[in-house]
Amino acid sequence: GRDIVRVARWHIGTPYRHSPPGVCWKYRSEDCSCLTRQVFKRFGKKLRDDPIKQYWNYGRWVAKRNLRPGDLVFFKEAGWNRPITHVGIYSGRGNLVHASAYFGKVVESKMKYIKGYYGAKRLTKGLR
């Protein structure tokens, strides 16, 4: 997990650009699912560039109290009855590395400031 966080932190400062319609371009323009896709690609895991598909198609569910660095964390910022809108990588101590539309770039921030925590997944099998 710490290696995943280290690679995610390399992306801090990358400009935010929603994809699609923008291109998911490592270190040039990334949205939340593009960031997680690029980070896990480094470890041999191919994720879809879509936070909903990342939630439903990969890993195993993890309780919030059992989060470990490297886990994917998902949010429904528009409300519980709305779709998943955001994903980031848990970096420990309540922090998340994520591509933030609010800040306009990839940042590491406190998870508690992101609305609508929905759940978390741990991707371990097939990582190298």
Side-chain angles (χ1 to χ4, degrees):
R2 294 274 172 213
D3 289 339
I4 292 167
V5 172
R6 180 177 43 83
V7 171
R9 285 179 175 149
W10 293 348
H11 292 256
I12 290 175
T14 299
Y16 178 91
R17 180 155 185 213
H18 196 272
S19 65
V23 178
C24 173
W25 198 357
K26 184 166 60 172
Y27 304 119
R28 294 302 254 323
S29 61
E30 300 174 352
D31 70 358
C32 64
S33 57
C34 173
L35 167 68
T36 55
R37 179 180 188 214
Q38 294 298 334
V39 170
F40 279 89
K41 185 178 181 181
R42 171 109 175 151
F43 296 94
K45 192 73 166 172
K46 292 181 181 177
L47 304 181
R48 301 283 300 274
D49 186 8
D50 179 329
I52 296 168
K53 289 187 171 109
Q54 287 183 10
Y55 181 77
W56 290 110
N57 296 330
Y58 306 99
R60 65 178 177 85
W61 284 273
V62 177
K64 191 174 186 179
R65 68 182 177 277
N66 294 327
L67 284 172
R68 292 196 305 219
D71 289 343
L72 291 175
V73 183
F74 297 86
F75 299 86
K76 287 188 169 187
E77 299 164 297
W80 191 255
N81 294 326
R82 306 296 298 179
I84 293 168
T85 55
H86 194 56
V87 62
I89 297 172
Y90 185 71
S91 58
R93 299 183 179 174
N95 293 316
L96 190 73
V97 176
H98 62 115
S100 168
Y102 179 80
F103 290 107
K105 61 186 174 182
V106 176
V107 297
E108 184 169 11
S109 59
K110 290 282 181 196
M111 236 171 55
K112 68 182 180 184
Y113 296 122
I114 303 169
K115 289 188 330 183
Y117 176 87
Y118 183 67
K121 300 290 279 285
R122 183 167 298 146
L123 283 66
T124 52
K125 295 195 179 196
L127 296 181
R128 51 181 162 84

